[in-house]
Amino acid sequence: WPQQIEQWRYLIEPTAARYNIDPALIAAMVFHESGGNPDAFRAEPWAEADSVGLMQVMTFSWRHVTATQLFDPAFNVRYGTRLYSIVLRQQAGGHHRLALAFYNCGAAGVRLDRCGQWGGYRYADAVLQTCAAYGGCVSLPPFIERRR
C-alpha cells in the first residue's frame, strides 16, 4: 500500500475483518475517495450533502452522525466500511463491482447513467484494479472484475 494509505492500515484491517471485506478493497476505496487525507471534504453540487473524510461518507448517509464525527479517521473508516457492507449485501447482491458503483454514485445514479465521467462503474473498475495492485481482491468472482 502507498504510504498515504499504509498509515491507516491499523484502522482498515480490523474494520474490514469485522465486516468480512478484503482490507485491500477498503484501502483502495480510501485511496480513490480521499487519497488518504482524513480532512478531505468535497461539496457535491448534485447532492444535498457533502462527502467527508477518508472514505468520503456523505453527511446524509447517517442521520445520527455529524460531519465532525466523520472527520475522525476511525469513525469514518468504520462507518464507510459499514455503509459499503450494507450496500454490498442488501443492494448489490454480493457483487463488488455493482456495490462500488452504488457507493460512489448511488443506486439511482448508476441505473440512470448519471455518474459522470469518472463515477459509477469507472470508479468501481479503478478501485478493483487498485485493490488487485495492493495484493487483494483475489477471491472475488472473476466476472465481477472483468465485466464492462
Side-chain angles (χ1 to χ4, degrees):
W1 300 2
Q3 180 57 37
Q4 72 266 33
I5 307 304
E6 180 67 37
Q7 67 180 325
W8 305 114
R9 186 184 289 264
Y10 77 99
L11 297 174
I12 292 169
E13 287 185 339
T15 303
R18 177 179 180 181
Y19 292 100
N20 197 28
I21 296 173
D22 187 335
L25 181 64
I26 301 303
M29 291 174 71
V30 169
F31 177 79
H32 285 277
E33 291 290 346
S34 68
N37 178 2
D39 297 321
F41 175 84
R42 185 175 0 182
E44 304 288 4
W46 52 268
E48 296 177 16
D50 302 315
S51 299
V52 178
L54 289 170
M55 295 191 70
Q56 291 292 281
V57 177
M58 295 188 83
T59 53
F60 73 79
S61 298
W62 303 96
R63 294 183 183 162
H64 62 281
V65 173
T66 67
T68 302
Q69 289 173 299
L70 290 173
F71 278 112
D72 174 63
F75 190 90
N76 191 280
V77 168
R78 186 171 61 249
Y79 272 82
T81 303
R82 179 179 175 206
L83 175 61
Y84 178 74
S85 174
I86 291 168
V87 169
L88 176 66
R89 288 165 178 79
Q90 294 180 7
Q91 294 182 312
H95 297 279
H96 285 277
R97 185 171 186 258
L98 183 59
L100 287 163
F102 285 0
Y103 182 91
N104 174 257
C105 186
V110 171
R111 289 186 180 114
L112 297 172
D113 196 22
R114 294 185 178 162
C115 298
Q117 183 178 0
W118 299 110
Y121 288 115
R122 288 178 195 89
Y123 165 84
D125 292 340
V127 169
L128 289 170
Q129 287 176 352
T130 301
C131 180
Y134 290 173
C137 295
V138 294
S139 64
L140 297 181
F143 75 90
I144 293 174
E145 294 182 56
R146 287 195 298 256
R147 186 175 158 202
R148 296 264 185 242

